Amino acid sequence: PRLAPAVRTRFAKATQRLAAAFAELLTKLGHKAASEEANSMLAELLGALSLARMEANAERSDAILAGSRQQLKYRLALEQQA
C-alpha cells in the first residue's frame, strides 16, 4: 500500500532537499552532472540501507553497506578526499 498523499509529499520534499545538498557538494568538487549524480547516489544509498536492514546475516548486511560505500567513493572519485 502507498503512503497517504500528505506523507508522500513531505517525504518527497525531504528527499529533494537531501539530493540538492548532495548536488551542491558534488558541484563544489567539480562534478559536471552533479544533480543527476546526486539523485543516483541517493537512490543507491537508500537501496543499500534497505537491503542491509532486510538481511538477516550481519556479515552480509555489513558487506552490502561497505560495498555500496566503496563503489560510490570510486564512482564519484572521492577516495582521495576520504
Coordinates of all heavy atoms in Angstrom, one line a residue:
P1 N 0.8 -1.2 0.0 CA 0.0 0.0 0.0 C 0.9 1.3 0.0 O 1.9 1.3 0.6 CB -0.8 -0.1 1.3 CG -0.2 -1.1 2.1 CD 0.7 -2.0 1.2
R2 N 0.4 2.2 -0.7 CA 1.1 3.5 -0.7 C 0.8 4.3 0.5 O -0.2 4.2 1.2 CB 0.7 4.3 -2.0 CG 1.1 3.6 -3.2 CD 0.8 4.5 -4.4 NE 1.4 4.0 -5.6 CZ 2.4 4.5 -6.3 NH1 2.9 5.6 -5.8 NH2 2.9 4.0 -7.4
L3 N 1.7 5.2 0.8 CA 1.5 6.2 1.9 C 0.5 7.2 1.5 O 0.2 7.4 0.3 CB 2.8 6.9 2.2 CG 4.0 6.0 2.6 CD1 5.3 6.9 2.7 CD2 3.7 5.4 4.0
A4 N -0.1 7.8 2.5 CA -1.1 8.9 2.3 C -0.4 10.0 1.5 O 0.8 10.3 1.6 CB -1.6 9.4 3.6
P5 N -1.2 10.7 0.7 CA -0.7 11.8 -0.2 C 0.1 12.8 0.6 O 1.2 13.3 0.2 CB -1.9 12.4 -0.8 CG -2.9 11.3 -0.9 CD -2.6 10.5 0.4
A6 N -0.3 13.2 1.8 CA 0.4 14.2 2.6 C 1.8 13.7 3.0 O 2.7 14.5 3.0 CB -0.4 14.6 3.8
V7 N 1.8 12.4 3.4 CA 3.1 11.8 3.8 C 4.0 11.7 2.6 O 5.2 12.0 2.7 CB 2.8 10.5 4.4 CG1 4.1 9.8 4.8 CG2 2.0 10.6 5.7
R8 N 3.5 11.3 1.5 CA 4.3 11.2 0.3 C 4.9 12.6 -0.1 O 6.1 12.7 -0.5 CB 3.5 10.6 -0.9 CG 3.2 9.2 -0.6 CD 2.3 8.6 -1.7 NE 3.0 8.6 -3.0 CZ 2.4 8.5 -4.1 NH1 1.1 8.4 -4.2 NH2 3.1 8.5 -5.3
T9 N 4.1 13.6 0.0 CA 4.5 15.0 -0.4 C 5.7 15.4 0.6 O 6.7 15.9 0.1 CB 3.4 16.0 -0.3 OG1 2.4 15.6 -1.2 CG2 3.8 17.4 -0.5
R10 N 5.5 15.2 1.9 CA 6.5 15.5 2.8 C 7.8 14.8 2.6 O 8.9 15.3 2.7 CB 6.0 15.3 4.2 CG 6.8 15.9 5.3 CD 6.1 15.9 6.6 NE 7.0 16.5 7.6 CZ 6.6 16.7 8.9 NH1 5.5 16.4 9.3 NH2 7.5 17.2 9.7
F11 N 7.7 13.5 2.4 CA 8.9 12.6 2.1 C 9.6 13.1 0.8 O 10.8 13.2 0.8 CB 8.4 11.2 2.0 CG 9.6 10.2 1.9 CD1 10.3 9.8 3.0 CD2 10.0 9.7 0.6 CE1 11.4 9.0 2.9 CE2 11.1 8.9 0.5 CZ 11.8 8.5 1.7
A12 N 8.8 13.4 -0.2 CA 9.4 13.9 -1.5 C 10.2 15.2 -1.3 O 11.3 15.3 -1.8 CB 8.3 14.1 -2.5
K13 N 9.6 16.1 -0.5 CA 10.3 17.4 -0.2 C 11.6 17.1 0.5 O 12.6 17.7 0.2 CB 9.4 18.3 0.5 CG 8.3 18.9 -0.3 CD 7.4 19.8 0.5 CE 6.3 20.4 -0.3 NZ 5.4 21.3 0.5
A14 N 11.6 16.2 1.5 CA 12.8 15.9 2.2 C 13.9 15.3 1.4 O 15.0 15.6 1.4 CB 12.5 15.0 3.4
T15 N 13.5 14.3 0.5 CA 14.5 13.7 -0.4 C 15.0 14.7 -1.4 O 16.2 14.6 -1.8 CB 13.9 12.5 -1.1 OG1 12.7 12.8 -1.8 CG2 13.6 11.4 -0.1
Q16 N 14.1 15.6 -1.9 CA 14.6 16.7 -2.8 C 15.6 17.6 -2.1 O 16.6 17.9 -2.7 CB 13.4 17.5 -3.3 CG 12.5 16.7 -4.3 CD 11.2 17.5 -4.5 OE1 11.0 18.5 -4.0 NE2 10.4 16.9 -5.4
R17 N 15.4 17.9 -0.9 CA 16.4 18.7 -0.1 C 17.7 18.0 0.0 O 18.8 18.6 -0.1 CB 15.9 19.1 1.2 CG 14.8 20.3 1.2 CD 14.5 20.8 2.6 NE 14.2 19.9 3.6 CZ 13.0 19.4 3.9 NH1 12.0 19.9 3.2 NH2 12.8 18.5 4.8
L18 N 17.6 16.7 0.4 CA 18.8 15.9 0.5 C 19.6 15.8 -0.8 O 20.8 16.0 -0.8 CB 18.5 14.5 1.1 CG 19.6 13.6 1.5 CD1 20.6 14.3 2.5 CD2 19.1 12.3 2.1
A19 N 18.9 15.5 -1.9 CA 19.5 15.4 -3.2 C 20.2 16.7 -3.6 O 21.3 16.8 -4.1 CB 18.5 15.0 -4.3
A20 N 19.5 17.8 -3.3 CA 20.0 19.2 -3.6 C 21.3 19.4 -2.8 O 22.3 20.0 -3.3 CB 19.0 20.3 -3.3
A21 N 21.3 19.0 -1.5 CA 22.5 19.2 -0.7 C 23.7 18.3 -1.3 O 24.8 18.8 -1.4 CB 22.3 18.8 0.7
F22 N 23.4 17.1 -1.7 CA 24.4 16.3 -2.3 C 24.9 16.9 -3.6 O 26.1 17.0 -3.9 CB 23.9 14.9 -2.6 CG 23.7 14.0 -1.5 CD1 22.8 12.9 -1.6 CD2 24.4 14.1 -0.3 CE1 22.6 12.0 -0.5 CE2 24.2 13.3 0.8 CZ 23.3 12.2 0.7
A23 N 24.0 17.4 -4.4 CA 24.4 18.1 -5.7 C 25.3 19.3 -5.4 O 26.2 19.5 -6.2 CB 23.1 18.5 -6.5
E24 N 25.0 20.1 -4.4 CA 25.8 21.2 -4.1 C 27.2 20.8 -3.8 O 28.2 21.4 -4.2 CB 25.1 22.0 -3.0 CG 25.9 23.3 -2.6 CD 25.2 24.1 -1.5 OE1 24.0 23.9 -1.3 OE2 25.9 24.9 -0.9
L25 N 27.3 19.8 -2.9 CA 28.7 19.3 -2.6 C 29.4 18.7 -3.8 O 30.6 19.0 -4.0 CB 28.6 18.2 -1.5 CG 28.1 18.7 -0.1 CD1 27.8 17.5 0.8 CD2 29.1 19.6 0.5
L26 N 28.7 18.0 -4.6 CA 29.3 17.4 -5.8 C 29.7 18.6 -6.8 O 30.8 18.5 -7.4 CB 28.4 16.4 -6.5 CG 28.2 15.1 -5.7 CD1 27.0 14.3 -6.4 CD2 29.5 14.3 -5.7
T27 N 28.9 19.6 -6.9 CA 29.3 20.7 -7.7 C 30.6 21.4 -7.2 O 31.5 21.7 -8.0 CB 28.2 21.8 -7.8 OG1 27.0 21.2 -8.4 CG2 28.5 23.0 -8.6
K28 N 30.7 21.5 -5.9 CA 31.9 22.1 -5.3 C 33.1 21.3 -5.6 O 34.3 21.8 -5.7 CB 31.7 22.3 -3.8 CG 30.8 23.4 -3.5 CD 30.6 23.6 -2.0 CE 29.6 24.7 -1.7 NZ 29.4 24.9 -0.2
L29 N 32.9 19.9 -5.8 CA 34.0 19.0 -6.1 C 34.3 18.9 -7.6 O 35.2 18.2 -8.0 CB 33.7 17.6 -5.5 CG 33.7 17.5 -4.0 CD1 33.2 16.1 -3.6 CD2 35.1 17.8 -3.4
G30 N 33.5 19.7 -8.4 CA 33.8 19.8 -9.8 C 33.0 18.8 -10.7 O 33.4 18.6 -11.9
H31 N 32.0 18.1 -10.2 CA 31.2 17.2 -11.0 C 30.3 18.0 -11.9 O 29.5 18.8 -11.4 CB 30.5 16.2 -10.1 CG 31.3 15.3 -9.3 ND1 31.6 14.0 -9.8 CD2 32.1 15.4 -8.2 CE1 32.4 13.4 -8.9 NE2 32.7 14.2 -8.0
K32 N 30.3 17.7 -13.2 CA 29.5 18.4 -14.1 C 28.0 18.0 -14.1 O 27.2 18.9 -14.3 CB 30.1 18.2 -15.5 CG 31.5 18.8 -15.7 CD 31.9 18.8 -17.1 CE 33.3 19.2 -17.3 NZ 33.7 20.5 -16.9
A33 N 27.7 16.8 -13.9 CA 26.3 16.3 -13.8 C 26.0 16.1 -12.4 O 25.4 15.0 -12.0 CB 26.2 15.0 -14.6
A34 N 26.2 17.1 -11.5 CA 26.0 16.9 -10.1 C 24.6 16.5 -9.7 O 24.4 15.7 -8.8 CB 26.5 18.2 -9.4
S35 N 23.6 17.1 -10.3 CA 22.2 16.8 -9.9 C 21.9 15.4 -10.2 O 21.3 14.7 -9.4 CB 21.3 17.8 -10.7 OG 20.0 17.5 -10.3
E36 N 22.3 14.9 -11.4 CA 22.0 13.5 -11.8 C 22.8 12.6 -10.9 O 22.2 11.5 -10.5 CB 22.3 13.3 -13.3 CG 21.4 14.0 -14.2 CD 21.8 15.5 -14.4 OE1 22.8 15.9 -13.9 OE2 21.1 16.1 -15.2
E37 N 24.0 12.9 -10.6 CA 24.8 12.0 -9.7 C 24.3 12.0 -8.3 O 24.3 11.0 -7.7 CB 26.3 12.5 -9.7 CG 27.0 12.3 -11.1 CD 28.4 12.8 -11.1 OE1 29.0 13.0 -10.0 OE2 28.9 13.1 -12.2
A38 N 23.8 13.1 -7.9 CA 23.2 13.2 -6.5 C 22.0 12.3 -6.4 O 21.8 11.6 -5.4 CB 22.9 14.7 -6.2
N39 N 21.1 12.4 -7.4 CA 19.9 11.5 -7.4 C 20.3 10.0 -7.5 O 19.7 9.2 -6.7 CB 19.0 11.8 -8.6 CG 18.3 13.1 -8.4 OD1 18.0 13.5 -7.3 ND2 18.0 13.8 -9.5
S40 N 21.3 9.7 -8.3 CA 21.8 8.3 -8.3 C 22.4 7.9 -7.0 O 22.1 6.8 -6.5 CB 22.8 8.2 -9.5 OG 23.3 6.9 -9.5
M41 N 23.2 8.8 -6.4 CA 23.8 8.5 -5.1 C 22.7 8.2 -4.0 O 22.8 7.3 -3.3 CB 24.7 9.6 -4.7 CG 25.5 9.4 -3.4 SD 26.7 10.6 -3.1 CE 25.8 12.1 -2.7
L42 N 21.7 9.1 -4.0 CA 20.6 9.0 -3.0 C 19.9 7.6 -3.2 O 19.6 6.9 -2.2 CB 19.7 10.1 -3.1 CG 18.5 10.2 -2.1 CD1 19.0 10.2 -0.7 CD2 17.7 11.4 -2.4
A43 N 19.6 7.3 -4.5 CA 18.9 6.0 -4.7 C 19.8 4.8 -4.3 O 19.2 3.9 -3.7 CB 18.6 5.9 -6.2
E44 N 21.1 4.9 -4.6 CA 21.9 3.8 -4.1 C 22.0 3.7 -2.6 O 22.0 2.6 -2.1 CB 23.3 3.9 -4.8 CG 24.2 2.7 -4.4 CD 25.5 2.7 -5.1 OE1 25.7 3.4 -6.1 OE2 26.4 1.9 -4.7
L45 N 22.2 4.8 -2.0 CA 22.3 4.8 -0.5 C 21.0 4.2 0.1 O 21.1 3.4 1.1 CB 22.5 6.2 0.0 CG 23.9 6.8 -0.3 CD1 24.0 8.3 0.1 CD2 25.0 6.0 0.5
L46 N 19.9 4.7 -0.3 CA 18.6 4.2 0.2 C 18.4 2.7 -0.1 O 17.9 2.0 0.7 CB 17.4 5.0 -0.3 CG 17.4 6.5 0.3 CD1 16.3 7.3 -0.4 CD2 17.2 6.5 1.7
G47 N 18.8 2.3 -1.3 CA 18.6 0.9 -1.7 C 19.5 0.0 -0.8 O 19.1 -1.0 -0.3
A48 N 20.8 0.5 -0.7 CA 21.7 -0.3 0.1 C 21.3 -0.4 1.6 O 21.3 -1.5 2.2 CB 23.1 0.3 0.1
L49 N 20.8 0.7 2.1 CA 20.3 0.7 3.5 C 19.1 -0.2 3.7 O 19.0 -1.0 4.6 CB 19.9 2.1 4.0 CG 19.5 2.2 5.4 CD1 20.6 1.8 6.4 CD2 19.1 3.7 5.7
S50 N 18.2 -0.2 2.7 CA 17.0 -1.1 2.8 C 17.4 -2.5 2.7 O 16.9 -3.4 3.5 CB 16.1 -0.7 1.6 OG 15.5 0.6 1.7
L51 N 18.3 -2.9 1.7 CA 18.7 -4.3 1.6 C 19.5 -4.7 2.9 O 19.3 -5.8 3.3 CB 19.6 -4.4 0.4 CG 18.9 -4.3 -1.0 CD1 20.0 -4.3 -2.1 CD2 18.0 -5.5 -1.1
A52 N 20.3 -3.9 3.4 CA 21.1 -4.2 4.6 C 20.2 -4.5 5.8 O 20.4 -5.4 6.6 CB 22.1 -3.1 4.9
R53 N 19.1 -3.7 5.9 CA 18.2 -3.8 7.0 C 17.4 -5.1 6.9 O 17.0 -5.7 7.9 CB 17.3 -2.6 7.1 CG 17.9 -1.3 7.5 CD 18.1 -1.3 9.0 NE 18.9 -0.2 9.4 CZ 18.4 1.0 9.9 NH1 17.1 1.2 10.0 NH2 19.2 1.9 10.3
M54 N 17.1 -5.5 5.7 CA 16.3 -6.8 5.4 C 17.2 -8.0 5.6 O 16.6 -9.1 5.8 CB 15.7 -6.8 4.0 CG 14.6 -5.8 3.9 SD 13.8 -5.9 2.3 CE 15.0 -5.1 1.2
E55 N 18.5 -7.9 5.5 CA 19.4 -9.1 5.5 C 19.5 -9.6 6.9 O 19.8 -8.9 7.9 CB 20.8 -8.7 5.0 CG 21.8 -9.7 5.0 CD 21.4 -11.0 4.2 OE1 21.1 -10.8 3.0 OE2 21.4 -12.1 4.8
A56 N 19.2 -10.9 7.1 CA 19.3 -11.5 8.4 C 20.7 -11.7 8.9 O 21.0 -11.7 10.1 CB 18.5 -12.8 8.4
N57 N 21.6 -12.0 7.9 CA 23.0 -12.3 8.2 C 23.8 -10.9 8.4 O 23.9 -10.1 7.5 CB 23.6 -13.1 7.1 CG 25.1 -13.4 7.3 OD1 25.9 -12.6 7.3 ND2 25.3 -14.7 7.5
A58 N 24.4 -10.7 9.6 CA 25.0 -9.5 9.9 C 26.2 -9.2 9.0 O 26.5 -8.1 8.6 CB 25.5 -9.4 11.4
E59 N 27.0 -10.3 8.7 CA 28.2 -10.1 7.8 C 27.7 -9.6 6.4 O 28.4 -8.8 5.8 CB 29.0 -11.4 7.7 CG 29.8 -11.7 9.0 CD 30.6 -12.9 8.8 OE1 31.0 -13.2 7.7 OE2 30.9 -13.6 9.8
R60 N 26.7 -10.2 5.9 CA 26.2 -9.9 4.6 C 25.6 -8.4 4.6 O 25.8 -7.7 3.7 CB 25.1 -10.9 4.2 CG 24.4 -10.5 2.9 CD 25.2 -10.9 1.7 NE 24.4 -10.5 0.5 CZ 24.9 -9.7 -0.4 NH1 26.1 -9.3 -0.4 NH2 24.1 -9.4 -1.5
S61 N 24.9 -8.1 5.7 CA 24.4 -6.7 5.9 C 25.5 -5.7 5.8 O 25.5 -4.7 5.1 CB 23.6 -6.6 7.2 OG 23.2 -5.3 7.4
D62 N 26.6 -6.0 6.6 CA 27.7 -5.1 6.6 C 28.4 -5.0 5.3 O 28.9 -3.9 4.8 CB 28.8 -5.5 7.7 CG 28.3 -5.4 9.1 OD1 27.2 -4.6 9.3 OD2 28.9 -5.9 10.0
A63 N 28.5 -6.1 4.6 CA 29.1 -6.2 3.2 C 28.3 -5.3 2.2 O 28.9 -4.7 1.4 CB 29.2 -7.6 2.8
I64 N 27.0 -5.4 2.3 CA 26.2 -4.6 1.4 C 26.5 -3.1 1.6 O 26.7 -2.3 0.7 CB 24.7 -4.8 1.7 CG1 24.3 -6.2 1.2 CG2 23.8 -3.8 1.0 CD1 22.9 -6.7 1.6
L65 N 26.5 -2.6 2.9 CA 26.8 -1.2 3.2 C 28.2 -0.8 2.7 O 28.4 0.2 2.1 CB 26.6 -0.9 4.6 CG 25.1 -1.1 5.1 CD1 25.1 -0.9 6.6 CD2 24.2 -0.1 4.4
A66 N 29.2 -1.7 3.1 CA 30.6 -1.4 2.7 C 30.8 -1.4 1.2 O 31.5 -0.5 0.7 CB 31.5 -2.4 3.4
G67 N 30.2 -2.3 0.5 CA 30.3 -2.3 -0.9 C 29.7 -1.1 -1.6 O 30.3 -0.5 -2.5
S68 N 28.6 -0.7 -1.1 CA 27.9 0.5 -1.7 C 28.8 1.7 -1.4 O 29.0 2.5 -2.3 CB 26.5 0.7 -1.1 OG 25.9 1.8 -1.6
R69 N 29.2 1.9 -0.2 CA 30.1 3.0 0.2 C 31.3 3.0 -0.7 O 31.7 4.1 -1.2 CB 30.5 2.9 1.6 CG 31.3 4.1 2.1 CD 31.5 4.1 3.7 NE 31.8 2.8 4.2 CZ 31.0 2.0 5.0 NH1 29.8 2.5 5.3 NH2 31.4 0.9 5.4
Q70 N 32.0 1.9 -0.9 CA 33.2 1.8 -1.7 C 33.0 2.2 -3.1 O 33.7 2.9 -3.7 CB 33.8 0.4 -1.6 CG 35.1 0.2 -2.4 CD 35.6 -1.2 -2.3 OE1 34.9 -2.1 -1.8 NE2 36.8 -1.4 -2.8
Q71 N 31.9 1.6 -3.7 CA 31.6 1.9 -5.1 C 31.2 3.4 -5.3 O 31.5 4.0 -6.3 CB 30.5 1.0 -5.6 CG 31.0 -0.4 -5.8 CD 32.2 -0.5 -6.7 OE1 32.1 0.0 -7.8 NE2 33.2 -1.2 -6.2
L72 N 30.5 4.0 -4.4 CA 30.1 5.4 -4.5 C 31.4 6.3 -4.5 O 31.6 7.2 -5.3 CB 29.2 5.8 -3.4 CG 27.7 5.5 -3.6 CD1 26.9 5.7 -2.4 CD2 27.1 6.3 -4.8
K73 N 32.3 6.0 -3.6 CA 33.5 6.7 -3.5 C 34.3 6.6 -4.8 O 34.9 7.6 -5.3 CB 34.4 6.2 -2.3 CG 33.9 6.7 -1.0 CD 34.8 6.2 0.1 CE 34.5 6.7 1.5 NZ 35.4 6.2 2.5
Y74 N 34.4 5.4 -5.3 CA 35.1 5.1 -6.5 C 34.5 5.9 -7.7 O 35.1 6.6 -8.5 CB 35.2 3.6 -6.8 CG 35.8 3.3 -8.1 CD1 37.2 3.4 -8.3 CD2 35.1 2.9 -9.3 CE1 37.8 3.1 -9.5 CE2 35.7 2.6 -10.5 CZ 37.0 2.7 -10.6 OH 37.6 2.4 -11.8
R75 N 33.1 5.7 -7.9 CA 32.4 6.3 -9.0 C 32.5 7.8 -9.0 O 32.6 8.4 -10.0 CB 31.0 5.8 -9.0 CG 30.2 6.2 -10.2 CD 28.9 5.6 -10.3 NE 27.9 6.2 -9.4 CZ 27.2 5.6 -8.5 NH1 27.3 4.3 -8.4 NH2 26.4 6.3 -7.8
L76 N 32.4 8.4 -7.8 CA 32.4 9.8 -7.7 C 33.8 10.4 -7.5 O 33.9 11.6 -7.2 CB 31.5 10.3 -6.6 CG 30.0 9.8 -6.8 CD1 29.2 10.1 -5.5 CD2 29.4 10.5 -8.0
A77 N 34.8 9.6 -7.5 CA 36.2 10.0 -7.4 C 36.4 10.7 -6.0 O 37.0 11.7 -6.0 CB 36.7 10.9 -8.5
L78 N 35.9 10.1 -5.0 CA 36.0 10.7 -3.6 C 37.1 10.0 -2.8 O 37.3 10.5 -1.7 CB 34.7 10.6 -2.9 CG 33.5 11.3 -3.6 CD1 32.2 11.0 -2.8 CD2 33.8 12.8 -3.6
E79 N 37.7 9.0 -3.3 CA 38.7 8.3 -2.5 C 39.8 9.2 -2.0 O 40.2 9.1 -0.9 CB 39.4 7.1 -3.3 CG 38.7 5.8 -3.1 CD 38.4 5.3 -1.8 OE1 39.2 5.4 -0.8 OE2 37.3 4.8 -1.6
Q80 N 40.3 10.1 -2.8 CA 41.4 11.0 -2.5 C 41.0 12.0 -1.4 O 41.8 12.4 -0.6 CB 42.0 11.7 -3.6 CG 41.1 12.7 -4.4 CD 40.3 12.0 -5.4 OE1 40.1 10.8 -5.5 NE2 39.7 12.8 -6.3
Q81 N 39.7 12.3 -1.3 CA 39.2 13.2 -0.3 C 38.9 12.5 1.0 O 38.8 13.2 2.1 CB 38.0 14.0 -0.8 CG 38.3 15.1 -1.8 CD 37.9 14.7 -3.1 OE1 37.2 13.7 -3.4 NE2 38.3 15.5 -4.1
A82 N 38.7 11.2 1.0 CA 38.3 10.5 2.2 C 39.4 10.4 3.2 O 40.5 10.5 2.9 CB 37.8 9.1 1.8

